[in-house]
């Protein structure tokens, strides 16, 4: 082989299509990567395989009729999907939420955060290709919380539990005792999880200084949630907006230093410990009273008569994956004139290439896993 041919081979790049699939089967996703050897020099996320026309469908149905469709956005976190949508409609219609209902919502939201972060860590280690045990531990603990969700909503995942002005039904007998058991036992599980993972040589070698996201890029790209905080930005909508009654609870906002895969893993561990603190306060302080406002109950029974006044609104929450927002425009009819979702999975995925360039192809999978996406929310 001539010296000229050797030179050509040395600079040749290889285009590889990863997918369409998700490594942990959360949906259908594809990455078109350009490699120099095993090093990523270009990466294009390809999405849209799970598009369900959520936003356009919502413009042709009643406001309440869209509530169960929000369950299908991030199908790991249906309670928080309901929360964000209910919050937006309540701002649009000027609906008040009773005290007890606010506490119920907080409890459901923080239980959902535990479910999401626990599963993410289990799947992350599965994506890494080194561990299968953590995902089994994660499913074991998730099951206990899903049993609680099922006891009040009748469903484990697609809960359809929130209503405008409150929630569909009050806690079932023994529900709070079940939450107290979670509060008591989850820290022990997290200690066990950390003992298995946090100082594990394989995890540290594969995750530290991999998929680094700088603070500046995270801010300019509109990244939110644990990904943003792992890059060192102490921004949490529960603190910033104080929506619902979050300003009554004492909790801190964990942040990372490097912004790598390891920081994104560990920030979620710390956030779960803070969620347990919030749950303990909420269970202790929850008052008696109605679980839905009379006006909201009327709307729930006769959704066709629910007509918010003309106007537009944006309601957002700190969902487990980041900022989940709903932009609604009302023309005074029973159906929204405009309905748009601001999904954290989609926004956070936009900087995947920036995090992967310069890393090895094997690192792209664990970097994607640390973003924490659900394709139902990405594609909608």
């Amino acid at each position: 082989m001539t010296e000229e041919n050797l030179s050509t081979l040395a600079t040749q790049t290889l285009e590889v299509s990863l997918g369409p699939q998700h490594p942990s089967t959360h949906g259908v996703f594809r990455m078109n990567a350009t490699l120099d050897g095993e090093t990523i020099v270009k990466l294009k996320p390809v999405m849209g395989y799970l598009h369900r026309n959520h936003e356009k469908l919502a413009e042709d149905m009643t406001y309440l009729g869209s509530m169960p469709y929000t369950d299908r956005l991030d199908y790991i976190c249906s309670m928080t999907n309901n929360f964000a949508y209910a919050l937006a409609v309540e701002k649009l219609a000027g609906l008040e939420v009773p005290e007890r209902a606010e506490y119920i919502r907080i409890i459901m939201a923080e239980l959902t955060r535990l479910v999401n972060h626990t599963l993410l860590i289990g799947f992350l280690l599965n994506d890494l290709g080194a561990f299968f045990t953590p995902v089994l531990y994660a499913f074991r603990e998730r099951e206990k919380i899903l049993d609680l969700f099922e006891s009040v909503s009748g469903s484990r995942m697609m809960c359809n539990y929130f209503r405008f002005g409150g929630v569909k039904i009050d806690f079932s007998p023994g529900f709070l005792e079940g939450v107290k058991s979670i509060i008591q036992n989850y820290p022990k599980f997290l200690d066990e999880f950390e003992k298995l993972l946090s100082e594990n040589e394989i995890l540290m070698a594969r995750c530290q200084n991999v998929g680094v996201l700088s603070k500046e890029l995270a801010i300019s790209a509109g990244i939110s949630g644990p990904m943003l905080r792992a890059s060192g930005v102490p921004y949490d909508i529960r603190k910033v907006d104080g929506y619902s009654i979050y300003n009554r609870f004492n909790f801190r906002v964990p942040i990372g230093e490097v912004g790598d895969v390891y920081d994104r893993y560990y920030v979620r561990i710390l956030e779960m410990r803070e969620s347990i603190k919030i749950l303990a306060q909420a269970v202790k302080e929850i008052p008696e009273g109605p679980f839905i406002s009379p006006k909201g109950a009327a709307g729930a029974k006769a959704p066709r008569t629910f007509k918010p006044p003309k106007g537009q609104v944006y309601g957002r929450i700190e969902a487990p994956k980041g900022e989940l927002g709903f932009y609604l425009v009302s023309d005074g009819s029973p159906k929204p004139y405009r309905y748009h979702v601001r999904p954290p999975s989609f926004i956070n995925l936009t900087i995947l290439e920036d995090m992967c360039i310069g890393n090895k192809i094997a690192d792209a999978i664990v970097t994607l896993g640390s973003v924490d996406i659900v394709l139902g929310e990405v594609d909608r």
Side-chain angles (χ1 to χ4, degrees):
M1 185 173 287
T2 65
E3 184 176 338
E4 182 180 348
N5 287 338
L6 283 172
S7 175
T8 302
L9 287 173
T11 59
Q12 187 177 21
T13 58
L14 179 66
E15 293 185 3
V16 177
S17 182
L18 303 173
Q21 66 182 40
H22 187 287
S24 290
T25 64
H26 301 317
V28 183
F29 179 66
R30 182 179 181 183
M31 293 186 292
N32 289 336
T34 303
L35 308 177
D36 181 359
E38 291 190 21
T39 303
I40 298 171
V41 295
K42 184 179 179 182
L43 186 141
K44 179 184 178 182
V46 182
M47 55 200 81
Y49 295 96
L50 203 60
H51 177 57
R52 302 183 313 286
N53 206 27
H54 175 101
E55 293 166 331
K56 194 61 182 175
L57 285 172
E59 293 172 7
D60 199 37
M61 62 179 60
T62 64
Y63 284 88
L64 188 59
S66 291
M67 185 65 78
Y69 283 83
T70 66
D71 291 340
R72 277 78 176 168
L73 290 169
D74 178 356
Y75 31 78
I76 304 296
C77 304
S78 73
M79 291 289 190
T80 46
N81 298 343
N82 290 176
F83 198 171
Y85 179 55
L87 199 70
V89 174
E90 286 156 5
K91 287 176 68 176
L92 187 62
L95 280 176
E96 296 290 332
V97 181
E99 284 281 297
R100 182 173 178 84
E102 293 281 24
Y103 277 90
I104 292 174
R105 288 178 168 194
I106 297 296
I107 290 170
M108 293 308 195
E110 296 309 314
L111 286 173
T112 300
R113 205 175 309 277
L114 292 179
V115 166
N116 183 84
H117 288 0
T118 302
L119 273 189
L120 177 276
I121 291 170
F123 284 130
L124 176 64
L125 274 297
N126 203 20
D127 292 346
L128 199 148
F131 308 93
F132 191 69
T133 303
V135 76
L136 299 179
Y137 280 37
F139 273 108
R140 181 193 69 190
E141 298 305 313
R142 171 180 180 252
E143 196 72 17
K144 299 170 185 176
I145 296 176
L146 294 191
D147 285 345
L148 293 176
F149 288 170
E150 186 177 15
S151 71
V152 293
S153 72
S155 177
R156 290 160 46 81
M157 291 181 66
M158 309 303 174
C159 298
N160 187 24
Y161 180 62
F162 284 51
R163 291 293 181 269
F164 309 139
V167 293
K168 182 168 64 175
I169 193 171
D170 205 348
F171 284 152
S172 55
F175 184 92
L176 286 179
E177 291 304 315
V179 178
K180 288 177 183 177
S181 176
I182 298 292
I183 294 166
Q184 181 179 354
N185 295 314
Y186 227 83
K188 300 173 186 176
F189 158 68
L190 291 177
D191 291 343
E192 181 183 37
F193 225 27
E194 278 209 71
K195 187 176 181 181
L196 177 67
L197 301 176
S198 292
E199 296 184 9
N200 185 284
E201 291 182 19
I202 299 174
L203 185 144
M204 294 174 74
R206 290 293 310 279
C207 296
Q208 289 183 335
N209 297 310
V210 170
V212 175
L213 173 62
S214 70
K215 180 187 299 187
E216 293 75 20
L217 177 58
I219 293 170
S220 65
I223 305 305
S224 59
M227 275 192 68
L228 177 65
R229 293 187 285 275
S231 295
V233 182
Y235 186 87
D236 188 312
I237 297 172
R238 292 173 295 176
K239 291 282 191 182
V240 174
D241 288 1
Y243 64 90
S244 186
I245 53 171
Y246 270 110
N247 54 9
R248 301 184 187 180
F249 300 107
N250 180 29
F251 66 99
R252 67 188 187 92
V253 179
I255 60 172
E257 296 179 356
V258 181
D260 56 9
V261 171
Y262 189 86
D263 276 357
R264 291 193 281 277
Y265 149 76
Y266 201 65
V267 158
R268 290 179 171 101
I269 289 281
L270 296 177
E271 285 193 4
M272 284 192 281
R273 296 191 183 277
E274 296 305 311
S275 289
I276 293 166
K277 292 180 186 178
I278 295 171
L279 285 169
Q281 295 170 68
V283 168
K284 182 179 179 181
E285 298 169 8
I286 185 170
E288 295 296 328
F291 58 88
I292 191 168
S293 70
K295 190 175 180 181
K301 292 175 182 176
R304 293 182 184 277
T305 66
F306 182 76
K307 298 179 181 179
K310 291 182 179 181
Q312 59 182 327
V313 71
Y314 178 69
R316 65 176 187 168
I317 68 164
E318 183 66 41
K321 292 176 173 62
E323 179 180 338
L324 172 60
F326 285 82
Y327 171 69
L328 302 173
V329 178
S330 170
D331 59 1
S333 73
K335 303 173 184 179
Y337 175 78
R338 182 73 177 96
Y339 176 110
H340 177 67
V341 184
R342 191 272 188 206
S345 289
F346 175 72
I347 304 297
N348 291 350
L349 191 57
T350 58
I351 41 76
L352 181 62
E353 180 180 40
D354 300 88
M355 295 191 294
C356 288
I357 287 178
N359 289 316
K360 303 299 183 185
I361 185 63
D363 296 330
I365 306 301
V366 71
T367 300
L368 173 63
S370 72
V371 176
D372 188 11
I373 63 169
V374 163
L375 271 300
E377 186 175 77
V378 172
D379 296 335
R380 302 183 303 291

